[in-house]
Amino acid sequence: MLRGLAARPTSRGWQALAAGAAVLVVARLIGTTQFHQLAYLFLLLAVAALALGVAGYRGLAFERRLPEETRVVAGRPAGVELVVSNRSRLLWTSRLEVEDVLSRRERTALPPVAPGQRRKARVSATFPRRGVYRLGPAAVRGTDPFGLLVFSRSFREGDEIVVYPEVHRLRGFPVRGGEAQAGSRGSRGRRGEEFAGLREYQHGDDRRHIHWKSLARTGELFVKEFALHAPRIYTVVLDLRRGGFRSLEAAVEDAVSAAASVLAHLREEGLGFRLLCTDKTGSGAGPGEDERSYWEAMRVLAEVRADGDTELDEALLEEDPTSLGDGVILVCRHEEEGLQACVRRLRAAGTAVVAVLVAEHTYRGGASLAGREARFARFAAGLAAAGAQVLAVRHPESVAGLGARRAGGMA
């Protein structure tokens, strides 16, 4: 039998074999030539069915066509096209059943395929969570022209598909393009400084932008002012530290979705971005600003796991301050004690900070929810007092509610 091709009798085939065996027994008992001929006819019919089936199904080819124009996102249906081609020059196939492993095992029927032709079936597959999926193996089944045998042709070749985290539109997110205050780090362009003029120094301006020649000449502090349209860059830092207990999968997925949504928001606003994760391998991407850089970062988010040991403040301390860009957006799942001091250091250096807090206690529930909520509100208030703009992701609103309200009920 051809490799990858298997055959078994259908119910009609079993009946034909049983009838042939019965006729052969009768022929042996009574010695009638006609009964012998009839028994051999049944045997010949089975052999012909096998030969025609092998000749026909060895010419089948299978192709799985994945979505090209759109990326596959967790929880949203994606169309996958299954194509069966008949490379035989003479034989038609019977009606076919195509079975493939996508997000789950899928079966679909196809009409007979003429010689040299092909048939297509479009299957809607919904992948429940982000990640890299291995599709297949696939199998194509059909019968011989007599309906005595069912043939199954297996195709072991698989495809890899990346399922990206869900992205939500952040209408109320506090970071916008072209809104930097002159003289701050947020007004500095990514591709060199676009000098626009000088103005008097104001409290909070970045000291690195002080115009020292004017100070020596006039004795007054002036800072360089840059074009407001000059693009900025933000570093998105995702907390993927494992918890004391097994991390809540829903909370982790919402944290990843929040980071993905922030990246999408930055791209829409014309801002540069960089991704830094605190997982075990210290995954990251960027800096960048174009479509390719965005999808590279999204590929990282599709695969990361909450298996790290590093806290957010430790991860930021390990980074060169100049590599963080003009602002830092923290996506935090844990109430870390050292994060307030870290925010103060960033703000003192003129770096804008936005803290997106995933309220894990809302995913757990339980009788102690009120106490956990009070502790979470104190943590959020401490970050706000340190200079961060604080927002919260809560269950069940998830990331869809991000920006609609601030953490701890703050306006």
Side-chain angles (χ1 to χ4, degrees):
M1 189 66 66
L2 182 69
R3 183 180 178 183
L5 181 63
R8 59 178 176 81
T10 63
S11 57
R12 181 186 299 179
W14 285 116
Q15 292 171 5
L17 291 174
V23 172
L24 182 61
V25 170
V26 172
R28 290 292 185 181
L29 290 176
I30 63 177
T32 304
T33 302
Q34 289 81 357
F35 278 101
H36 279 91
Q37 292 174 344
L38 183 59
Y40 295 147
L41 179 61
F42 276 113
L43 178 61
L44 181 62
L45 187 63
V47 173
L50 180 62
L52 288 173
V54 171
Y57 285 91
R58 71 180 179 182
L60 287 184
F62 172 80
E63 182 183 1
R64 184 187 302 107
R65 295 178 179 175
L66 305 177
E68 294 182 358
E69 297 181 357
T70 58
R71 303 302 206 284
V72 180
V73 177
R76 298 181 185 176
V80 180
E81 196 171 60
L82 308 179
V83 183
V84 177
S85 304
N86 182 4
R87 296 180 296 190
S88 172
R89 296 181 179 179
L90 299 174
L91 299 176
W92 284 66
T93 71
S94 66
R95 289 182 59 86
L96 300 175
E97 180 190 67
V98 182
E99 179 180 299
D100 197 12
V101 179
L102 303 176
S103 57
R104 56 188 177 88
R105 196 172 296 276
E106 303 280 356
R107 290 186 177 90
T108 187
L110 287 177
V113 186
Q117 300 298 314
R118 62 185 179 184
R119 296 282 188 180
K120 303 176 183 178
R122 190 172 180 84
V123 178
S124 180
T126 301
F127 297 87
R129 67 186 307 274
R130 64 187 173 83
V132 179
Y133 289 76
R134 186 70 179 175
L135 308 183
V140 180
R141 300 185 183 91
T143 62
D144 64 90
F146 307 115
L148 300 182
L149 300 173
V150 58
F151 291 84
S152 178
R153 178 76 186 274
S154 61
F155 299 88
R156 297 291 176 183
E157 299 82 2
D159 291 295
E160 184 181 272
I161 186 169
V162 180
V163 179
Y164 296 95
E166 188 173 7
V167 171
H168 297 267
R169 191 171 184 83
L170 307 181
R171 298 185 183 276
F173 201 71
V175 177
R176 297 292 182 207
E179 293 182 356
Q181 293 182 354
S184 69
R185 288 191 62 184
S187 65
R188 183 168 52 86
R190 290 192 303 274
R191 296 176 178 171
E193 298 180 344
E194 300 182 27
F195 180 74
L198 298 176
R199 66 161 173 80
E200 292 183 1
Y201 175 84
Q202 297 176 5
H203 179 70
D205 286 341
D206 191 341
R207 295 182 179 180
R208 291 178 301 175
H209 292 166
I210 292 176
H211 193 251
W212 298 107
K213 292 183 179 180
S214 296
L215 175 63
R217 186 173 60 254
T218 65
E220 297 182 2
L221 284 177
F222 287 87
V223 293
K224 301 173 188 176
E225 191 172 36
F226 302 97
L228 290 177
H229 68 271
R232 294 165 287 154
I233 185 168
Y234 283 80
T235 297
V236 180
V237 188
L238 174 58
D239 176 11
L240 289 175
R241 181 166 61 93
R242 63 166 65 93
F245 300 98
R246 185 170 60 90
S247 297
L248 293 173
E249 182 176 348
V252 172
E253 293 307 305
D254 277 354
V256 174
S257 178
S261 301
V262 169
L263 288 173
H265 176 81
L266 295 175
R267 184 186 61 164
E268 289 179 0
E269 292 293 326
L271 300 170
F273 46 80
R274 179 187 174 215
L275 175 65
L276 176 63
C277 303
T278 63
D279 58 336
K280 188 175 182 179
T281 59
S283 304
E289 60 186 84
D290 55 9
E291 190 84 0
R292 179 180 177 182
S293 300
Y294 171 74
W295 287 111
E296 285 178 355
M298 292 293 285
R299 173 62 186 256
V300 171
L301 291 178
E303 299 186 74
V304 291
R305 297 289 178 266
D307 57 1
D309 299 312
T310 305
E311 296 186 353
L312 282 179
D313 60 324
E314 295 176 356
L316 289 169
L317 284 173
E318 293 175 357
E319 292 293 314
D320 181 357
T322 60
S323 69
L324 297 176
D326 305 291
V328 173
I329 300 173
L330 307 173
V331 181
C332 181
R333 295 171 36 244
H334 299 91
E335 298 166 16
E336 300 177 3
E337 295 181 359
L339 201 54
Q340 294 182 21
C342 181
V343 170
R344 290 192 185 94
R345 287 194 298 270
L346 290 172
R347 294 298 296 124
T351 304
V353 180
V354 177
V356 177
L357 307 183
V358 179
E360 283 205 345
H361 63 282
T362 62
Y363 295 79
R364 299 180 185 274
S368 59
L369 182 61
R372 293 174 179 173
E373 177 63 27
R375 186 168 62 249
F376 175 79
R378 288 194 297 271
F379 174 67
L383 292 180
Q389 298 187 65
V390 184
L391 303 118
V393 174
R394 298 175 181 273
H395 183 74
E397 295 96 337
S398 182
V399 184
L402 184 61
R405 60 179 179 176
R406 299 295 177 91
M410 295 183 292

